[in-house]
Amino acid sequence: MSYTSTPVDMQELGEKIQQSSAFIEDIYTELNKVIVGQRYMIDRLLVGLLADGHVLLEGVPGLAKTLTVSSLATVINTKFQRLQFTPDLLPADLIGTLIYNQKEAEFTVKKGPIFSNIILADEINRSPAKVQSALLEAMQELQVTIGETTYPLDEPFLVLATQNPVEQEGTYPLPEAQVDRFMMKINIDYPTESEELEIMRRMAKTGKKEELKPVITTEKVLKARKVVDQIYIDEKVEQYIIDLVFATRNPEKYGLDDLSELINFGASPRASINLNLAARAHAFMEHRAYVTPEDVRTIAMDVLRHRIIPTFEAEAEEVTSEDLIDRVMSSVQVP
């Protein structure tokens, strides 16, 4: 679909965006009752939810990843499952299995926890490849096969997976091709000093914690996704996305000759698609009917950081994928 070839009534679309995106502030207000700071993580989870994209979260334990995801599920009033990935987990523990009923002399299906709306895959890199593949297939196909029958997954279906960057012993790192299926990879950092003081004051109590209430429904989320699809993106902004992605594959074309020795593999075509989707979701959250280059720049690091593979030379020089993306973004001309 070409966004410039279709006449767009920007005023009408703008009014629709204002109405349909009003719930974003309601979500922030409700989540702030139990979560201090972490606005960046909440923003990116909402982008994933609106753009129908899965998110990989990386951060040390204790940064409220699980609390944030479970709280988000509560305020959306949707089904939530937390799956603790362990080395002895089996694919059947995730997707379900066939159980033989002796009385009826037939097999019955027992569906697994993946039949939910929001899945928190905790420490995904602690499980073997077969379990990771079962989850990632469900993410890609939005369906699960048990026996000879295929079952569609409910919408919205969002996988939020966590990785611990510190403990690497006993882990099974996700292959690059599988990591590429996540729309975004976000790095969760420690709270600021003032935020941690507030966290301590709130949480260092043995009494009953604040309870959240739902502010929107899954139906409203699905309607919002349809509105996100209508957000206008100009050809110049589309070309800017393509330039950013292609600069990671052919850096010399963009005056980045020295990066050729530092980038082993550039971003895949999924990067272009996801950058477009995520930028539109970000514009929606800003209550705008159009995408600006700043929307693209705001979200680009999270969409690209896990899709660029540095060379051994880059690793030897301690150059990270983030460093490479910074170079690309500072060199590619902004429209």
Side-chain angles (χ1 to χ4, degrees):
M1 175 180 176
S2 172
Y3 296 94
T4 50
S5 62
T6 307
V8 178
D9 186 332
M10 294 301 290
Q11 186 175 349
E12 184 183 327
L13 183 57
E15 290 169 3
K16 187 189 286 189
I17 299 287
Q18 289 292 332
Q19 291 173 2
S20 57
S21 64
F23 69 83
I24 298 293
E25 268 63 40
D26 296 336
I27 288 178
Y28 287 136
T29 301
E30 196 65 20
L31 289 178
N32 284 340
K33 291 180 181 178
V34 296
I35 297 164
V36 178
Q38 297 298 7
R39 179 64 181 254
Y40 161 70
M41 174 164 51
I42 294 169
D43 280 348
R44 297 306 183 263
L45 293 181
L46 288 174
V47 167
L49 184 69
L50 292 165
D52 193 13
H54 310 290
V55 182
L56 182 61
L57 305 103
E58 188 169 284
V60 297
L63 297 182
K65 298 186 292 291
T66 303
L67 176 64
T68 304
V69 173
S70 61
S71 300
L72 181 63
T74 300
V75 301
I76 298 172
N77 194 21
T78 191
K79 290 182 288 182
F80 167 70
Q81 284 283 356
R82 177 181 178 269
L83 305 174
Q84 184 63 50
F85 277 53
T86 56
D88 60 348
L89 198 71
L90 299 171
D93 297 328
L94 185 68
I95 65 173
T97 188
L98 292 171
I99 296 176
Y100 186 69
N101 185 329
Q102 286 186 321
K103 193 175 180 181
E104 302 291 335
E106 62 181 17
F107 285 96
T108 56
V109 173
K110 184 187 178 187
K111 291 184 177 180
I114 202 162
F115 288 89
S116 193
N117 294 111
I118 294 181
I119 303 286
L120 176 62
D122 233 345
E123 296 190 283
I124 188 174
N125 54 336
R126 288 217 165 272
S127 281
K130 279 188 177 180
V131 179
Q132 294 175 1
S133 296
L135 176 66
L136 293 160
E137 183 183 359
M139 288 164 53
Q140 188 72 14
E141 309 296 334
L142 290 180
Q143 61 184 30
V144 166
T145 301
I146 303 173
E148 296 180 356
T149 309
T150 299
Y151 301 89
L153 295 168
D154 293 337
E155 286 194 82
F157 177 69
L158 187 66
V159 172
L160 308 169
T162 70
Q163 284 190 152
N164 181 352
V166 178
E167 271 184 79
Q168 293 305 322
E169 190 177 337
T171 60
Y172 304 81
L174 289 170
E176 282 79 8
Q178 293 185 343
V179 175
D180 192 44
R181 296 187 194 184
F182 287 94
M183 172 177 272
M184 291 177 288
K185 179 185 176 186
I186 64 175
N187 291 342
I188 314 300
D189 208 350
Y190 287 108
T192 63
E193 193 173 320
S194 60
E195 286 171 349
E196 189 145 349
L197 181 63
E198 177 62 23
I199 291 167
M200 183 181 69
R201 285 171 175 167
R202 283 198 199 182
M203 304 305 288
K205 296 176 183 175
T206 56
K208 193 177 180 182
K209 300 292 188 289
E210 183 87 41
E211 287 189 11
L212 297 175
K213 66 177 190 294
V215 295
I216 61 163
T217 61
T218 51
E219 289 75 18
K220 200 164 186 178
V221 171
L222 295 175
K223 284 181 182 175
R225 282 183 177 179
K226 291 180 179 176
V227 178
V228 169
D229 284 342
Q230 298 171 36
I231 287 179
Y232 177 78
I233 179 164
D234 190 80
E235 278 185 355
K236 289 179 181 176
V237 180
E238 287 181 322
Q239 187 59 49
Y240 180 53
I241 291 172
I242 297 298
D243 286 341
L244 285 175
V245 173
F246 270 71
T248 69
R249 298 180 203 164
N250 306 306
E252 57 282 344
K253 183 182 172 185
Y254 296 85
L256 295 163
D257 295 29
D258 56 325
L259 292 196
S260 299
E261 301 297 317
L262 300 176
I263 298 177
N264 200 2
F265 293 102
S268 72
R270 276 200 188 107
S272 307
I273 297 166
N274 287 331
L275 199 43
N276 184 308
L277 286 166
R280 276 191 278 159
H282 189 267
F284 178 89
M285 289 170 59
E286 296 290 322
H287 314 294
R288 265 188 282 103
Y290 56 90
V291 176
T292 66
E294 195 53 40
D295 289 317
V296 178
R297 292 179 66 81
T298 300
I299 214 82
M301 182 66 77
D302 303 303
V303 174
L304 295 175
R305 68 157 51 92
H306 56 301
R307 294 187 159 93
I308 293 173
I309 314 299
T311 60
F312 290 122
E313 288 87 345
E315 290 175 1
E317 294 174 23
E318 296 184 350
V319 176
T320 65
S321 62
E322 279 118 341
D323 296 330
L324 297 170
I325 295 163
D326 279 334
R327 287 282 310 281
V328 166
M329 288 178 65
S330 62
S331 299
V332 174
Q333 189 173 356
V334 182

